[in-house]
Amino acid sequence: MSENFITIDDQAISLKKAISYLNTTGDLPKFIQNILHRHVIEQKLQERTDLEVDSQNVEQALVNFRIQNRLTDPGRFDQWLKSQNLTYEQFRDRAAESLRIEQLKQETIGATVETYFQENKPDLDRVMLSRIVVLARTLADDIRQQIEAGTATFEALAKQHSVTNDSSANGLMGTLQMGQLPPEIREQLRGREAGELIGPIETEGRYILLRIQQWFPAALEGQLKRQLDDRFFGQWLQEQLKDKKIKLNIE
């Protein structure tokens, strides 16, 4: 095994030593998984000679990449290529391969992702919430009465009474995916409109008043689609390895 897999000044780190480092830090399983997944992808691309990409689509992908990464200036782009140890031709080949992988991905898991989205959309919707959390039911009821009567604002009462850190932000929790919320809160939110006051809800010995700030209905696009595509494509890649004999040889 080579003794100069990586060198730091004049000190060599062999591949065996590098693997031992990864094992020590707990990163080895993910490292191996990435290699195996890449192996499966390359095998599938070799088999699927029908997966071709249009040159115009490749050029558009390159333009999009440069815009997104602020590399439209030719000099800055050339500097970036050098920092990545890439020629323009290699960069273009990578883009073309990424498009072929995307085709493979959509053919293998596109329908699965669509079905999952349709079946789980209520839990994929996002909601912006504010909350007031107190330790006594009587106080929670009193706070609700004050808000409904208009004698005090939600924001002021959150600052005055809420025991959570977001009290300093007028109780604003931010935007959360419905599936991330506890079931008892999820059920209370379903079918409610922005601006509605909900609760008190008892959970873990605390009493929570919620106000819905805004709903963000899920759409199968953007970051959500990428997350679902990556999850199900990863599962598909693992399935391809299920019956394979895999052995790590580092001697």
Side-chain angles (χ1 to χ4, degrees):
M1 181 171 293
S2 172
E3 290 300 318
N4 59 354
F5 174 60
I6 299 175
T7 58
I8 303 177
D9 291 331
D10 295 327
Q11 186 176 10
I13 300 175
S14 68
L15 180 58
K16 182 177 180 179
K17 176 59 73 174
I19 288 174
S20 74
Y21 289 162
L22 291 170
N23 190 44
T24 299
T25 60
D27 296 320
L28 184 58
K30 183 64 176 178
F31 176 76
I32 293 173
Q33 182 187 71
N34 288 340
I35 293 172
L36 295 175
H37 283 185
R38 183 65 196 185
H39 177 73
V40 171
I41 289 170
E42 292 202 357
Q43 281 192 323
K44 295 298 180 181
L45 290 180
Q46 289 174 9
E47 295 170 4
R48 293 295 306 276
T49 55
D50 59 310
L51 293 178
E52 297 181 356
V53 293
D54 186 273
S55 60
Q56 290 184 345
N57 291 337
V58 176
E59 293 303 324
Q60 187 60 56
L62 298 180
V63 170
N64 293 343
F65 178 87
R66 291 179 64 175
I67 292 174
Q68 291 167 7
N69 292 274
R70 300 180 181 179
L71 295 171
T72 52
D73 177 74
R76 188 170 184 177
F77 179 54
D78 288 342
Q79 187 176 15
W80 179 84
L81 286 173
K82 289 178 182 177
S83 72
Q84 301 298 308
N85 198 29
L86 288 173
T87 64
Y88 181 81
E89 289 71 24
Q90 290 171 327
F91 175 63
R92 192 182 188 284
D93 288 344
R94 279 191 182 184
E97 185 176 72
S98 294
L99 291 175
R100 291 188 68 211
I101 292 172
E102 186 61 26
Q103 286 187 42
L104 175 66
K105 183 184 296 184
Q106 294 309 316
E107 283 194 16
T108 53
I109 53 91
T112 303
V113 169
E114 177 69 33
T115 299
Y116 176 86
F117 175 79
Q118 295 301 332
E119 292 178 350
N120 295 274
K121 185 182 179 302
D123 286 340
L124 297 172
D125 288 341
R126 295 181 301 132
V127 61
M128 182 184 291
L129 294 171
S130 292
R131 68 177 175 178
I132 300 173
V133 182
V134 296
L135 304 180
R137 176 63 189 245
T138 53
L139 177 57
D141 290 336
D142 180 62
I143 289 171
R144 178 168 185 129
Q145 289 173 9
Q146 291 184 61
I147 294 171
E148 291 177 334
T151 57
T153 65
F154 187 102
E155 292 78 7
L157 292 168
K159 279 189 174 182
Q160 182 180 355
H161 295 291
S162 190
V163 298
T164 53
N165 292 334
D166 46 43
S167 62
S168 61
N170 297 328
L172 185 63
M173 297 175 64
T175 304
L176 301 167
Q177 199 172 73
M178 284 287 282
Q180 297 174 323
L181 297 170
E184 63 270 21
I185 291 179
R186 242 183 356 247
E187 292 308 311
Q188 291 284 342
L189 292 176
R190 295 199 195 283
R192 302 297 189 98
E193 300 292 333
E196 283 197 54
L197 184 64
I198 300 164
I201 304 169
E202 183 180 2
T203 176
E204 298 180 351
R206 296 182 173 193
Y207 298 88
I208 305 173
L209 286 162
L210 295 171
R211 185 174 66 187
I212 300 174
Q213 301 294 119
Q214 189 175 353
W215 282 104
F216 301 93
L220 192 55
E221 59 188 27
Q223 183 180 3
L224 177 60
K225 186 176 190 308
R226 288 191 294 272
Q227 289 174 345
L228 294 178
D229 282 352
D230 289 346
R231 182 202 306 179
F232 284 98
F233 192 55
Q235 292 175 3
W236 179 81
L237 289 170
Q238 281 300 113
E239 187 67 21
Q240 307 310 299
L241 295 166
K242 186 174 64 174
D243 298 322
K244 304 292 185 183
K245 295 180 179 179
I246 300 168
K247 182 181 179 182
L248 182 62
N249 301 305
I250 59 173
E251 295 302 327

